[in-house]
Amino acid sequence: MAFQPVKYYQSGSFVVGNRLLDDEQRTVQASHERSNAITSGHRACQGCGEALGARYALDAAMRVTGGRLVAANATGCLEVFSTPYPESAWQLPWIHSLFGNAPAVASGVAAALRAKGRSDIRVIGQGGDGGTVDIGFASLSGMFERGDDVLYICYDNEGYMNTGVQRSGATPPAARTATTQVAGAQPGNPFGQGKSAPLIAMAHEIPYVATATVAELHDLEAKVERAMELHGPRYLHVLVSCPLGWGAASADSIRIARLAKESGLFPVFEAVDRDVVAG
Ligand SMILES: Cc1ncc(C[n+]2csc(CCOP(=O)(O)OP(=O)(O)O)c2C)c(N)n1
Ligand code: SF4
Ligand SMILES: [Mg+2]
């Protein structure tokens, strides 16, 4: 199989934020004036797609909201590598929830802001696929059906990485995890299991549902920007590579995420008011 050459970000340039490209082709990271939601000093593995995805997503949200943003973050790698007590890599008001209740905490923050009449401050909830698709799913569904004004972002690395690469409801068929070994007749994660959180989110008839990958950071930024222009419950599901969990080289993070989209393993689309407008 012929692989594409390694590319940083999505343009083929080797410059952070594509600073050598035309203005309209650059990402927010090219700007020295960027808001920088998560900064250096965190402890993510080299090549961690979750760190990259979260930085781009929240920087885009910070830009749209003029920095008036609060994030509620589920337990998981993103929380663990960014906030080893007493340090924090976050540059915005950020609250650590339990593993399973980030959507509920985000809803609570939104309710408190509403009660205080602070419509200028927006709320993001975020977590990994385990925290979102599995243990936090009830509180996510509640957030959707109540119509709470929160953008929830799931960073899907297809497993419970923080606790040693166990299977989640977002782990794809045949994937090897610590709990779905490839052994004898076992192909890894069984076929016919798992669920599509984006499709279930659409069934809640919320205003905005989209998927993205860390291989297309412009697309990720654009989707965050569109989501932040809307109100009510919104859902963004981002495929983020995990070199440690996937047994891949750190330098292959972007390439593998791109292959996941191009092969159809991870469908990328955007739906506004349940109509698929792109994908
Ligand atoms: C109720 C509860 N059960 C289990 C845990 C242990 N735990 C912490 S993070 C985690 C896995 C996180 O997986 P995911 O949400 O996919 O995030 P990732 O680390 O993969 O980014 C688990 C099982 C916990 N903190 N609380
Ligand atoms: S284990 Fe995976 S998700 Fe966690 S910090 Fe490392 S690369 Fe990122
Ligand atoms: Mg995960």
Side-chain angles (χ1 to χ4, degrees):
M1 183 174 181
F3 289 124
Q4 294 178 320
V6 173
K7 293 176 184 171
Y8 288 118
Y9 308 107
Q10 72 280 21
S11 72
S13 100
F14 289 82
V15 181
V16 171
N18 306 324
R19 279 184 200 138
L20 296 184
L21 300 182
D22 293 340
D23 278 356
E24 67 275 8
Q25 291 180 290
R26 297 179 189 177
T27 79
V28 66
Q29 297 299 324
S31 168
H32 295 290
E33 307 299 320
R34 68 181 185 270
S35 41
N36 226 9
I38 181 168
T39 191
S40 58
H42 62 70
R43 287 139 164 89
C45 305
Q46 191 177 40
C48 174
E50 195 165 61
L52 183 67
R55 180 159 62 97
Y56 272 74
L58 288 205
D59 275 1
M62 291 277 275
R63 188 174 49 176
V64 176
T65 60
R68 286 186 286 280
L69 190 68
V70 179
N73 203 134
T75 303
C77 264
L78 181 59
E79 165 263 324
V80 168
F81 71 62
S82 64
T83 55
Y85 181 80
E87 297 157 8
S88 172
W90 295 98
Q91 304 293 303
L92 77 164
W94 180 96
I95 182 168
H96 174 207
S97 72
L98 298 175
F99 184 28
N101 73 347
V105 171
S107 289
V109 173
L113 290 168
R114 194 169 65 245
K116 291 172 95 50
R118 295 300 305 266
S119 57
D120 56 319
I121 303 176
R122 308 297 303 278
V123 182
I124 284 185
Q126 56 182 4
D129 50 298
T132 306
V133 170
D134 292 339
I135 190 170
F137 206 59
S139 65
L140 184 69
S141 177
M143 188 201 102
F144 288 160
E145 64 87 9
R146 285 189 305 269
D148 295 330
D149 188 19
V150 175
L151 169 63
Y152 189 91
I153 305 176
C154 172
Y155 301 102
D156 178 6
N157 53 21
E158 305 183 327
Y160 290 40
M161 300 318 186
N162 180 57
T163 43
V165 195
Q166 292 88 15
R167 173 198 181 277
S168 83
T171 301
R176 181 214 60 86
T177 70
T179 49
T180 56
Q181 294 290 346
V182 180
Q186 297 300 319
N189 194 36
F191 284 76
Q193 297 184 1
K195 59 181 131 170
S196 168
L199 291 184
I200 300 171
M202 283 177 72
H204 286 74
E205 304 189 11
I206 60 176
Y208 188 83
V209 177
T211 65
T213 80
V214 285
E216 292 173 320
L217 294 165
H218 270 318
D219 181 63
L220 171 60
E221 288 178 337
K223 284 171 176 165
V224 170
E225 286 169 12
R226 262 194 294 282
M228 294 311 290
E229 285 161 6
L230 301 169
H231 285 268
R234 291 142 287 144
Y235 183 70
L236 182 57
H237 191 108
V238 188
L239 181 73
V240 294
S241 1
C242 172
L244 183 144
W246 296 0
S250 298
D252 282 341
S253 261
I254 300 303
R255 184 173 63 80
I256 293 175
R258 184 179 292 114
L259 286 173
K261 181 200 166 186
E262 290 178 353
S263 66
L265 186 68
F266 185 88
V268 173
F269 69 94
E270 183 176 43
V272 179
D273 290 330
R274 289 182 82 200
D275 284 335
V276 177
V277 293

